[in-house]
Amino acid sequence: MVGGGEGAFIGAVHRMAAALDGDWDVVAGAFSTDGGRNVRTGDLLGLDPQRVYPSLDALIERERALPESEKIDALAIVTPNHLHAPMAIAALDAGFHVFCEKPMAMSVVEAEAIAAAAKASRRRFALAFTYSGYPMIEEARARTARGDFGAIRLVQVEYLQGWLSQPIDTDGNKQAEWRTDPARAGLGGCLGDIGTHAFQLAEHVSGLAVQSVSADLTTHVEGRRLDDDVSALLRFEGGARGVLKASQVAAGEENGLRLRIHGERGGLDWAQMEPNTLTLRWLDRPAEIVRTGGPGLHDGVAALMRTPAGHPEGYIEAFANLYRAFASAIRGDAGNRWCPGVIDGLRTMRFIEAVIANAGSDQKWTLVTSGENE
């Protein structure tokens, strides 16, 4: 692991998720540029001090020199965004698989460079679009793909948080500080941090690609250098229309990610804060409540659950599903399940750039371009 030192939220989450099913062990890391913090993190994790490295360069150099049975298999990148591309490319070029935090990079150009490195190295590259690991998201995706709702007409996704309602990014909050710094976060603030989650989920579950956007970016907190509020109209392939709302200044909100999709005959409703419930609504019959572990689920959903119905599974378990799929893909298991990767990363980066371009112009609609591999 690179990043994720003592006190870092997302690094600890990655380690818990990776360990949950026994597929992964953390055996080496460069956890912090602060030498003391780096060493303390290694101690807390019980690592061999010789494999707690002062930098990623040192980690790659020394791990490459180890026997095949001892060296790391993959690198988890849990740093601020500006380090994703150089670190991912270095690890891929060195022959290691990569599991990276989102967004993929700082720009489409950087994302394409990662994609090229993954292709050239023949190594796996996965992205932490955690919410796509929930069992009920897989159920929703399967029902949409099966055509249960008919042709899709409407896609509505929102991700509301309130934690940046005050200027805590100027008061010493490290998580807020780097997320609102263009040099470390990239061109989008709220857009890159949680807007990408909403966008990826909308495309993943609907099975449709966004073709163009009409967007508004706002910074409500005075002095903040990046957006903290995003609104976008979406035009999907096939004629479906959508709305994406993401905000980190929705005072009082916790982690309000919600997805609604409607077709000709019915639709679905899922909310991350009640993730084990999927509501189905129909034109010609009463609404249905589908539950994780309950009857009537798609065959592939059972593999994503670890406990009997009524034992709540949540964020860590969804994250663990991605790490399990990542391990399965590396092993080449037959029928290994989908894991978010290069295509999802490129799509979200193109979305970020299209929204920023549209919001900064007088143009009504801006195309979300696609590369040859998307």
Side-chain angles (χ1 to χ4, degrees):
M1 177 172 284
V2 60
E6 178 186 49
F9 162 73
I10 202 63
V13 169
H14 274 260
R15 291 190 288 268
M16 286 186 280
L20 192 59
D21 295 302
D23 286 313
W24 295 98
D25 293 308
V26 178
V27 296
F31 303 103
S32 176
T33 55
D34 180 310
R37 187 168 175 240
N38 189 37
V39 170
R40 288 193 301 274
T41 304
D43 288 343
L44 287 168
L45 297 176
L47 300 188
D48 178 348
Q50 296 301 310
R51 298 182 79 178
V52 179
Y53 300 105
S55 67
L56 177 63
D57 288 343
L59 184 153
I60 288 176
E61 179 184 355
R62 297 178 198 173
E63 290 293 319
R64 287 183 75 179
L66 292 174
E68 194 68 30
S69 61
E70 296 179 24
K71 67 176 64 174
I72 63 169
D73 295 297
L75 180 73
I77 300 174
V78 295
T79 65
N81 305 344
H82 69 296
L83 298 173
H84 290 181
M87 288 182 168
I89 291 169
L92 291 164
D93 287 348
F96 299 122
H97 304 283
V98 171
F99 195 108
C100 187
E101 257 303 320
K102 39 58 47 200
M104 186 175 184
M106 296 280 277
S107 66
V108 169
V109 170
E110 283 193 350
E112 289 176 334
I114 295 173
K119 184 176 181 179
S121 67
R122 297 185 178 181
R123 292 299 182 264
R124 296 283 181 173
F125 177 84
L127 275 165
F129 283 113
T130 312
Y131 307 107
S132 56
Y134 277 108
M136 286 297 96
I137 284 297
E138 176 60 19
E139 179 68 18
R141 188 208 60 77
R143 286 176 179 264
T144 303
R146 194 169 61 193
D148 288 12
F149 311 114
I152 300 303
R153 292 172 171 171
L154 306 174
V155 179
Q156 300 175 80
V157 62
E158 66 177 28
Y159 198 159
L160 303 181
Q161 297 176 341
W163 73 290
L164 289 179
S165 293
Q166 300 296 319
I168 60 173
D169 39 328
T170 61
D171 293 338
N173 185 304
K174 292 186 181 298
Q175 294 298 317
E177 182 185 349
W178 78 257
R179 282 176 168 82
T180 57
D181 177 6
R184 288 178 286 173
L187 298 176
C190 174
L191 173 63
D193 194 24
I194 63 174
T196 51
H197 274 302
F199 173 79
Q200 187 269 341
L201 205 63
E203 285 203 336
H204 176 60
V205 177
S206 71
L208 303 174
V210 173
Q211 293 182 324
S212 57
V213 298
S214 182
D216 180 59
L217 290 179
T218 306
T219 304
H220 287 282
V221 174
E222 187 176 353
R224 184 165 288 161
R225 291 174 290 173
L226 288 173
D227 61 275
D228 51 29
D229 188 70
V230 183
S231 301
L233 299 178
L234 312 174
R235 285 182 172 174
F236 289 82
E237 62 182 338
R241 295 296 189 262
V243 178
L244 182 149
K245 178 66 185 177
S247 183
Q248 292 176 312
V249 293
E253 293 286 347
E254 296 175 350
N255 216 56
L257 174 59
R258 183 182 182 189
L259 175 68
R260 287 172 287 176
I261 295 177
H262 294 88
E264 298 168 306
R265 298 190 294 272
L268 63 87
D269 189 347
W270 178 85
Q272 196 272 153
M273 289 177 64
E274 186 60 49
N276 295 309
T277 298
L278 177 67
T279 303
L280 309 176
R281 306 184 192 281
W282 308 102
L283 274 178
D284 57 355
R285 59 186 188 273
E288 298 176 50
I289 302 296
V290 180
R291 292 279 293 167
T292 300
L297 299 180
H298 181 262
D299 290 343
V301 176
L304 304 180
M305 300 178 295
R306 295 169 183 81
T307 59
H311 294 77
E313 296 189 21
Y315 179 70
I316 301 297
E317 289 87 351
F319 217 136
N321 283 333
L322 302 191
Y323 265 103
R324 187 166 59 181
F326 184 46
S328 179
I330 290 170
R331 288 191 298 254
D333 295 345
N336 60 74
R337 75 172 294 267
W338 170 88
C339 184
V342 166
I343 292 176
D344 299 88
L346 286 167
R347 288 292 301 164
T348 52
M349 292 311 305
R350 295 188 196 283
F351 170 71
I352 289 173
E353 293 197 357
V355 166
I356 291 171
N358 184 269
S361 74
D362 293 328
Q363 189 174 340
K364 186 173 182 180
W365 292 95
T366 298
L367 291 177
V368 180
T369 59
S370 291
E372 58 183 49
N373 296 320
E374 296 164 56

